[in-house]
Amino acid sequence: WRPVINASVNACTPVAVGNLIFVSTSYGKGATVLAVNGNKFETLWSSDQSLSCHYSSVVHHDGHLFGFHGRQERGCELRCVELKTGKVKWRFRGLRAGSVTLAGKELLVLTERGELVRGPATPAAFRPSARVQLMGATVRAYPALANGKLYVRNGRQLLCAQVGGD
């Protein structure tokens, strides 16, 4: 799985759900979901319009994928896409680029500008329930979530934020 130009790396980690595998890249290639049956692969869908991931990976919850679509330098949008069909269920603009972590039934979205946005992982719509500016830009490292604490870093800071109970 390679982008059509050699401008960057394929950074989105594939997601396996049962016998389905989601892969994505940017640069005009897009996303594909493959169904694995024994030693055969069947393409369920393939599109550059559903969830074309530049550098961040997606998360899966209840048959849906949540992640950033589009190139970072052009402005991404957070999306929910149905895993089996590639149908875009919703778009949330204005966050630019970032990473998405699934915490139970909630999304923790850490933007490239250092803002943490929290909201339910639902295909109905993304409705942020909390927002906080944690640190300055540029944040591309994935956060680590452990025991209700979210560890985030950029090139100058390392921060621990309480996001869960206790």
Side-chain angles (χ1 to χ4, degrees):
W1 189 255
R2 293 175 26 156
V4 293
I5 62 174
N6 291 323
S8 188
V9 299
N10 292 331
C12 179
T13 301
V15 175
V17 180
N19 74 320
L20 303 181
I21 300 173
F22 169 83
V23 292
S24 183
T25 188
S26 193
Y27 305 101
K29 194 77 168 178
T32 297
V33 170
L34 302 168
V36 180
N37 296 307
N39 61 356
K40 295 182 181 178
F41 294 89
E42 174 191 348
T43 300
L44 287 187
W45 61 267
S46 187
S47 171
D48 192 32
Q49 303 304 309
S50 292
L51 198 51
S52 177
C53 302
H54 188 194
Y55 73 83
S56 63
S57 297
V58 303
V59 295
H60 172 264
H61 181 66
D62 285 344
H64 294 86
L65 301 167
F66 300 88
F68 281 95
H69 170 78
R71 297 260 305 262
Q72 169 269 341
E73 66 272 13
R74 295 183 186 155
C76 301
E77 61 184 21
L78 185 64
R79 286 188 176 183
C80 172
V81 172
E82 190 172 47
L83 174 65
K84 289 185 179 180
T85 66
K87 180 181 178 186
V88 178
K89 302 297 261 188
W90 53 253
R91 296 168 167 85
F92 191 86
R93 294 178 173 92
L95 298 178
R96 292 176 55 189
S99 63
V100 181
T101 302
L102 184 66
K105 295 180 180 181
E106 291 195 305
L107 301 176
L108 299 177
V109 180
L110 181 61
T111 73
E112 191 176 57
R113 294 175 289 181
E115 181 183 24
L116 180 64
V117 183
R118 183 178 190 158
T122 173
F126 185 66
R127 293 186 179 88
S129 58
R131 294 177 91 137
V132 63
Q133 187 69 40
L134 290 180
M135 60 177 45
T138 299
V139 180
R140 285 197 180 170
Y142 262 76
L145 179 63
N147 299 319
K149 293 178 175 62
L150 188 72
Y151 298 87
V152 298
R153 72 170 180 87
N154 62 15
R156 297 180 181 174
Q157 297 173 286
L158 173 64
L159 181 117
C160 175
Q162 185 78 35
V163 294
D166 296 340

